Amino acid sequence: MSTVRGSRKIERAGVNALRALLEEHEHLVQEIDGGNDHGEDMIVNFTRGRKRTPYWIAIQVKSGKKYKRVNGYAIPVDDHFDDWRQSRIPIIGVVYDMKKKELFWVNLTEQLRSLDESPGWVQVANAAQLNSDTIDTFYAEVVAYAGDARMRIRAANQEDALTEAVRARHGLDSETAPNPLFEELADFALRYEERLRVFRKDLIRSLPIQVLVLIMLWEWPRQIRFVEGSADWVNPVVWALSLYHFMLFMALTIFFEFRAGRVPRETGSWLSIIASNFLWIPIMDPNGDDGWWGTFWIYAGIFVPSFGLKFLIISFVGFARDRKKKQLEPDM
């Protein structure tokens, strides 16, 4: 058969003494079972005039000689530092002196909230007694702190309030509680925040290209039908691909100019003129049977991409060469 730990009697002595005191003064106590004890032994809802208040606290209880110090008592922080200081309800530490049969308390959340590193132990003063004579003062101090820190919990019933208090002691609320479906994505976003910021800017800069590509996809079958009806001596797929390639190259040039911090007004104007004309043709002449009109645009669709691409490359290579020359020139 299993044996009962010898320290359990000591641990329970403090919990029982504190619970008896709180319930004697009509505060509502909900003990946390051992399997869910992560640094707190009970959750308490303060009452006033036999009515529940919106103030809740979680309490860590310690009993035994090892928590006694020369000038008072001390509660070990262990690995609860972040939980206690970030809690949305006050975490109170209580030490039970078994020899004196007296309780002493400290606001752990208040003591730790201003610290960046765990102090190891939190001191509990000899003067901070918790008994029938001081419990009203205890209530007033904790409620004042909770009110200043906006640590209030409001719920329709006690069960909902307790659930909210349990979440609050872990620093969770409806605004900060994690959504498991997106937590890993959020971690990824935080880990690569700078790269994603650059990606977002590039995504915005590429909006014209995205719009152009969507229009091209919608236009593709119409461009093919127009060429087939206008000239039987031209391969419609090759003609459309040549035109699309040129417009996309212009769009990419504009994208990288924006990325470099320049506004390519002339290139943007030419792209707008070429795209609006060539993408509008199949709407005006869907079957390419308007005689010389269709033939004219077939020839234009051959020469504009061919000469336009060469001119674009030569121009921007020249711009890049001039910029490099300026960078290499010695300062006067």
Side-chain angles (χ1 to χ4, degrees), residues 57-85:
I57 61 173
I59 302 179
Q60 168 76 91
V61 185
K62 295 296 183 183
S63 306
K65 295 179 180 179
K66 63 181 179 180
Y67 304 108
K68 182 77 173 91
R69 296 294 183 270
V70 175
N71 57 346
Y73 304 85
I75 294 178
V77 178
D78 296 327
D79 58 351
H80 306 305
F81 176 64
D82 288 328
D83 290 334
W84 286 352
R85 76 188 184 105

Side-chain angles (χ1 to χ4, degrees), residues 135-291:
I135 195 166
D136 287 339
T137 302
F138 166 73
Y139 166 84
E141 289 186 22
V142 174
V143 164
Y145 173 78
D148 290 343
R150 297 183 179 178
M151 293 180 168
R152 295 187 180 191
I153 293 177
R154 297 191 182 278
N157 54 58
Q158 186 170 343
E159 183 179 355
D160 290 343
L162 177 61
T163 300
E164 190 176 345
V166 172
R167 290 166 59 80
R169 92 181 202 269
H170 293 297
L172 303 177
D173 60 23
S174 58
E175 295 183 0
T176 62
N179 183 326
L181 183 62
F182 298 102
E183 277 300 285
E184 291 188 8
L185 290 175
D187 290 339
F188 177 84
L190 287 173
R191 192 160 54 246
Y192 299 103
E193 189 171 6
E194 288 300 321
R195 293 184 184 179
L196 289 174
R197 185 178 290 113
V198 173
F199 176 77
R200 181 176 61 83
K201 290 181 179 178
D202 286 344
L203 197 63
I204 294 173
R205 294 187 186 111
S206 69
L207 281 176
I209 299 179
Q210 297 175 48
V211 173
L212 182 61
V213 169
L214 288 175
I215 295 174
M216 285 178 169
L217 291 173
W218 182 80
E219 278 273 322
W220 177 261
R222 293 164 179 79
Q223 293 284 350
I224 299 299
R225 189 166 63 248
F226 166 74
V227 177
E228 288 175 341
S230 298
D232 55 6
W233 49 271
V234 175
N235 186 317
V237 174
V238 174
W239 184 92
L241 282 176
S242 175
L243 181 64
Y244 278 22
H245 171 260
F246 175 52
M247 287 192 291
L248 284 176
F249 192 83
M250 291 183 74
L252 281 173
T253 301
I254 293 171
F255 167 76
F256 283 108
E257 283 293 287
F258 276 127
R259 203 179 189 200
R262 295 184 291 270
V263 180
R265 291 186 176 85
E266 291 187 9
T267 309
S269 298
W270 278 109
L271 177 60
S272 299
I273 294 171
I274 292 169
S276 60
N277 277 283
F278 280 97
L279 297 179
W280 184 249
I281 295 169
I283 307 299
M284 297 292 292
D285 187 10
N287 297 314
D289 54 5
D290 284 349

Side-chain angles (χ1 to χ4, degrees), residues 2 9 14-15 24 28 37 39 58 69 83-84 91 104 106 141-142 163 182 262 266 268 275 292 319 324:
S2 61
K9 181 179 179 181
V15 172
E24 179 185 348
L28 304 176
D37 178 1
R69 296 294 183 270
D83 290 334
W84 286 352
I91 307 297
F104 301 85
V106 65
E141 289 186 22
V142 174
T163 300
F182 298 102
R262 295 184 291 270
E266 291 187 9
W292 68 268
F319 297 153
K324 287 184 177 293

Side-chain angles (χ1 to χ4, degrees), residues 18 22 27-32 40-47 53-60 87-94 105-107 109 130 135 138-139 141-146 151-153 161-162 165-166 168-169:
L18 178 59
L22 292 169
H27 298 300
L28 304 176
V29 179
Q30 178 71 45
E31 284 194 43
I32 301 172
E40 301 87 28
D41 297 290
M42 62 178 67
I43 292 179
V44 178
N45 181 201
F46 285 127
T47 64
T53 72
Y55 298 104
W56 292 70
I57 61 173
I59 302 179
Q60 168 76 91
S87 174
R88 288 183 54 252
I89 61 174
I91 307 297
I92 305 300
V94 174
W105 73 281
V106 65
N107 188 332
T109 301
L130 181 57
I135 195 166
F138 166 73
Y139 166 84
E141 289 186 22
V142 174
V143 164
Y145 173 78
M151 293 180 168
R152 295 187 180 191
I153 293 177
L162 177 61
V166 172
R169 92 181 202 269

